[in-house]
Amino acid sequence: MSVRYFQAAPNQMPEDEFDEHHVLLNLNRNVHRVQNWRDGELRDFMFHKDEIVVTPAGMRSGWRWHGTSDVIVITLDPVKVAQFAQSELGILLDPQQFCDLPQFSDPDLCAAGVILRDALETDDMSSAVMFEAMSRVFLVKLLQKYGKRRAEEVDLSARFTSRHYQSVLFYIQTRLDRTITVDQLAAEAGMSSSHFARLFKETLGSTPMQYVMAYRIEQAIRMMEDTARPLGDIALACGFADQAHFTRSFKQVVGQTPRTHRVAKPA
């Protein structure tokens, strides 16, 4: 996530296409005219305070604003947003994210954006912590209210749906310190092991056990932020047999040992 704040006189921005989602939050109390081209189609509207315009990744977009702009622009990496939605919220997002959501009003989301901006402008440790915390709050608010979930078919057993994923993720989260097998995950999803493994890989791009390992490592990296916590304790909390097993698995996934990663990570 990146956050930028703009105050600018009336002007125009030529059409361009970006790899990230752009979320534009309007803070201007004065209603003003804005023109926005989206893949060749012109939207000509009056822009009100606390209105938000989302330009999804891959959409060609251009702007002309006829009044002084006062906006926060938040850019989001689509891949990381999808990963966050999966691991933190148990949501499987539709690949065509935000395409049908050009504009909406949300004072609460704009207020979260202002806190993000203010935290970014203050260069101290407490602000860095606040920025990280509010980044998560902003994403949760955005995705829970406006994230487009993958369409679920009538026959839920025909494919791997968000409902299946949420059930499997909860199972992994609550049994992270234990052995987890494909059979257990399949039973949680209400499928045969072979059917579950195939649909899981088709949907998420990795085998169930690859996903479990990646999730264990991800949680271990978070726990390692507490520098006083022993690596052996983290290994057991994340379901590894011992510290040696943790070290081998961590190096295989991350490319370095847990100890090296902890030392190299900037404070």
Side-chain angles (χ1 to χ4, degrees):
M1 174 185 290
S2 70
V3 179
R4 292 173 292 170
Y5 177 53
F6 293 100
Q7 287 182 311
N11 206 335
Q12 184 167 347
M13 183 179 294
E15 292 186 54
D16 205 346
E17 182 179 319
F18 298 95
D19 295 329
E20 304 86 13
H21 301 312
H22 283 65
V23 184
L24 188 148
L25 316 174
N26 182 31
L27 307 183
N28 197 336
R29 295 182 179 276
N30 299 316
V31 180
H32 57 289
R33 181 187 176 200
V34 171
Q35 292 173 293
N36 174 216
W37 289 262
R38 294 167 66 90
D39 279 345
E41 294 186 10
L42 172 63
R43 298 176 59 251
D44 194 326
F45 57 93
M46 302 304 294
F47 209 15
H48 296 77
K49 185 179 184 299
D50 293 330
E51 286 191 325
I52 299 172
V53 174
V54 180
T55 305
M59 175 174 285
R60 190 167 186 80
S61 177
W63 293 85
R64 183 178 181 183
W65 55 100
H66 297 263
T68 301
S69 67
D70 187 6
V71 299
I72 295 171
V73 179
I74 297 177
T75 59
L76 303 170
D77 183 320
V79 174
K80 292 182 179 179
V81 168
Q83 291 172 344
F84 178 88
Q86 288 180 18
S87 62
E88 301 295 326
L89 305 178
I91 297 174
L92 297 178
L93 294 177
D94 190 289
Q96 298 299 313
Q97 203 57 220
F98 305 124
C99 288
D100 303 325
L101 188 72
Q103 186 174 352
F104 55 93
S105 178
D106 194 321
D108 188 39
L109 197 60
C110 283
V114 170
I115 296 174
L116 272 174
R117 178 202 64 184
D118 294 346
L120 192 64
E121 290 178 347
T122 306
D123 188 19
D124 59 47
M125 182 62 71
S126 62
S127 294
V129 173
M130 176 64 76
F131 181 82
E132 182 176 350
M134 286 309 301
S135 295
R136 295 174 63 84
V137 170
F138 183 88
L139 275 177
V140 169
K141 289 178 179 290
L142 178 68
L143 295 176
Q144 285 186 335
K145 293 182 70 173
Y146 307 107
K148 184 178 180 182
R149 306 186 185 210
R150 296 188 189 184
E152 295 190 358
E153 298 175 357
V154 176
D155 184 3
L156 294 179
S157 64
R159 60 191 294 271
F160 193 78
T161 68
S162 292
R163 212 172 297 178
H164 293 130
Y165 178 75
Q166 290 167 359
S167 178
V168 168
L169 177 61
F170 181 75
Y171 187 90
I172 295 171
Q173 290 172 332
T174 55
R175 293 164 176 78
L176 188 64
D177 59 343
R178 310 176 206 173
T179 299
I180 298 174
T181 67
V182 174
D183 289 345
Q184 291 171 332
L185 298 179
E188 195 66 21
M191 302 179 185
S192 69
S193 297
S194 59
H195 186 57
F196 167 78
R198 179 176 60 81
L199 291 181
F200 190 98
K201 186 171 184 179
E202 286 178 359
T203 305
L204 298 176
S206 64
T207 68
M209 289 300 94
Q210 288 171 338
Y211 180 88
V212 170
M213 178 58 70
Y215 190 84
R216 292 189 194 279
I217 296 297
E218 178 184 336
Q219 299 310 305
I221 289 174
R222 288 189 181 180
M223 294 179 190
M224 286 164 58
E225 293 177 1
D226 178 1
T227 56
R229 188 167 184 178
L231 292 177
D233 178 56
I234 293 174
L236 295 178
C238 292
F240 296 96
D242 50 38
Q243 188 171 336
H245 179 211
F246 174 46
T247 298
R248 289 194 303 273
S249 302
F250 192 97
K251 187 173 183 179
Q252 185 176 11
V253 174
V254 180
Q256 57 185 182
T257 66
R259 194 175 304 278
T260 300
H261 180 82
R262 174 179 264 179
V263 171
K265 186 176 176 61

